[in-house]
């Protein structure tokens, strides 16, 4: 990896690099000059410019299909109209009812009698 201080280099450029002080963990080279710039290609329909290496990654037919799908998708999004909101008459709600209070558990144990019997022994 080489450091491009002016950020002039593009993908596909042939450059001359020089060894320099370590600039980061992976960079110890810097771009000295661009020997041969990358060839570029301009799309006649859109006017976009791409380097020769970027053009290799796709064919014109797949790019046009992608644009067609994207156009259809955007058209559907623009034409989408959400359903009418429900009016208050259409919505039914229930009255709030508090839950029942649980009963206190009943004990059949007579603590007073048990305590007196314990103290007498």
């Amino acid at each position: 990896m080489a450091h491009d201080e002016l950020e002039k280099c593009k993908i596909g450029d042939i450059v001359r690099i020089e060894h320099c002080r370590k600039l980061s963990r992976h960079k110890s080279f810097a771009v000295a000059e661009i020997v041969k710039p990358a060839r570029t290609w301009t799309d006649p329909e859109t006017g976009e410019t791409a380097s020769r290496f970027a053009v290799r990654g796709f064919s014109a037919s797949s790019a046009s299909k992608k644009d067609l799908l994207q156009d259809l998708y955007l058209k559907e999004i623009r034409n989408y109209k959400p359903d009418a909101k429900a009016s208050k008459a259409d919505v039914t709600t229930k009255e709030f009812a508090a839950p029942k209070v649980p009963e206190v558990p009943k004990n059949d144990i007579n603590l007073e009698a048990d305590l007196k019997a314990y103290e007498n022994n």
Side-chain angles (χ1 to χ4, degrees):
M1 195 179 301
H3 179 66
D4 180 18
E5 187 172 342
L6 302 176
E7 296 182 9
K8 288 185 175 180
C9 297
K10 298 177 189 143
I11 295 175
D13 287 348
I14 297 174
V15 297
R16 183 174 62 84
I17 58 174
E18 293 179 346
H19 191 272
C20 64
R21 66 178 176 81
K22 196 159 182 112
L23 298 171
S24 70
R25 182 176 173 190
H26 299 288
K27 289 183 184 178
S28 58
F29 291 91
V31 175
E33 67 175 316
I34 299 174
V35 177
K36 184 178 178 184
R39 286 199 229 158
T40 56
W41 175 77
T42 304
D43 185 4
E45 294 176 4
T46 62
E48 293 180 14
T49 303
S51 70
R52 185 178 99 200
F53 294 98
V55 173
R56 281 188 188 174
F58 65 91
S59 65
S61 63
S62 66
S64 64
K65 286 179 186 176
K66 177 183 174 190
D67 292 338
L68 177 66
L69 289 175
Q70 184 177 12
D71 291 342
L72 287 172
Y73 178 72
L74 291 173
K75 181 180 173 184
E76 288 297 319
I77 289 176
R78 287 184 195 117
N79 292 333
Y80 174 74
K81 292 184 175 75
D83 295 335
K85 292 183 180 177
S87 64
K88 289 186 178 182
D90 296 338
V91 178
T92 59
T93 58
K94 293 182 179 179
E95 292 289 326
F96 175 75
K100 294 181 182 177
V101 179
E103 294 181 17
V104 177
K106 296 179 182 176
N107 284 337
D108 294 337
I109 302 171
N110 188 354
L111 292 177
E112 278 186 45
D114 289 345
L115 184 60
K116 284 182 183 178
Y118 177 77
E119 289 176 354
N120 290 337
N121 288 336

